[in-house]
Amino acid sequence: MEALSMTKAECRTAFLRQTGEQYDKIVVGAIIILTDEENEERILVLKRAAHEEILPNIWEIPGGKAEDTDATILDALKREVHEETSLTVTKVYGAVTSFGYRVKKVVPPKEDGGEEETVWSSCLQLSFACEVADPLDLAINPEEHSESGFVHCREVFNRELEMTEQMRAVVLEALSDPTMWRRPDLLALAQVPYVGDL
């Protein structure tokens, strides 16, 4: 959770790759879990658009790159969730295990000639269990995602949704710790035992 108050630059310095080098990008993600009227957990997932160069048609949690203009990682998280879903993060319950990965981007040749270039970037994913205001106001950005919804958590667990194993692990970790997402007001409505202070 300490990362929430850091800038992108501070995160790049504080969280190093196994090689001791800084990550090229810091990426944030929001794990948004609700309990429905049947007392079943549902998680918000978005399907990446087919035209996306990196991982097209893969399901993921809302999130994206922290920008230099974001004052803190919390600001990046709030901005990315709003840009992708129109939802407003109102509370962060906790952080799950971060993970690093690499992405490949093919850069087309410049106008003055040359050849296309393949560029690899290292990314650090920082994901947080969050609460949002008015989750039914969900509206995705069609430039980035083709589908969205609050799916049953068993769909993630049973591998019914195509997502990376790292993303699936992050979601399952958050689900395994109910203090990260079980709001006392929802628990009272669902009459489920409350497991700890948030």
Side-chain angles (χ1 to χ4, degrees):
M1 290 280 283
E2 69 184 65
L4 286 172
S5 62
M6 292 181 177
T7 65
K8 179 178 95 169
E10 289 170 335
C11 278
R12 290 186 67 223
T13 302
F15 304 104
L16 299 176
R17 297 169 54 193
Q18 290 178 338
T19 61
E21 299 172 310
Q22 292 184 357
Y23 285 95
D24 298 315
K25 299 176 183 177
I26 302 295
V27 179
V28 295
I31 302 164
I32 302 166
I33 301 172
L34 301 177
T35 304
D36 68 16
E37 59 278 351
E38 281 124 30
N39 199 30
E40 300 241 2
E41 287 78 35
R42 292 180 174 265
I43 183 165
L44 176 59
V45 291
L46 312 174
K47 187 175 185 181
R48 292 177 63 84
H51 65 265
E52 287 284 343
E53 185 177 340
I54 299 168
L55 300 173
N57 298 312
I58 297 294
W59 290 91
E60 63 184 359
I61 58 176
K65 275 190 333 187
E67 302 289 349
D68 291 333
T69 54
D70 296 317
T72 65
I73 294 301
L74 176 58
D75 292 324
L77 181 69
K78 289 178 174 183
R79 177 187 51 75
E80 279 291 341
V81 169
H82 193 266
E83 284 177 4
E84 293 191 350
T85 67
S86 296
L87 300 176
T88 302
V89 172
T90 57
K91 185 170 185 174
V92 177
Y93 290 108
V96 295
T97 304
S98 60
F99 64 88
Y101 61 96
R102 292 180 65 202
V103 293
K104 177 176 80 169
K105 183 175 184 177
V106 177
V107 180
K110 295 184 172 116
E111 290 180 21
D112 60 353
E115 297 183 19
E116 70 180 25
E117 185 181 350
T118 301
V119 177
W120 286 92
S121 297
S122 61
C123 305
L124 176 65
Q125 171 93 27
L126 303 172
S127 300
F128 304 90
C130 301
E131 180 179 317
V132 294
D134 304 315
L136 298 181
D137 289 344
L138 173 66
I140 60 170
N141 176 349
E143 293 297 315
E144 296 184 31
H145 297 95
S146 59
E147 297 177 50
S148 67
F150 284 90
V151 300
H152 280 283
C153 292
R154 67 176 172 267
E155 294 178 61
V156 176
F157 184 77
N158 293 336
R159 293 179 161 68
E160 295 173 34
L161 297 174
E162 190 174 353
M163 61 178 28
T164 68
E165 287 307 308
Q166 291 170 313
M167 187 65 66
R168 190 180 317 278
V170 162
V171 171
L172 294 177
E173 180 183 342
L175 286 169
S176 71
D177 184 355
T179 62
M180 284 202 193
W181 52 270
R182 286 205 168 176
R183 293 176 19 204
D185 56 330
L186 292 180
L187 289 174
L189 291 173
Q191 297 180 355
V192 174
Y194 179 52
V195 292
D197 277 331
L198 300 175

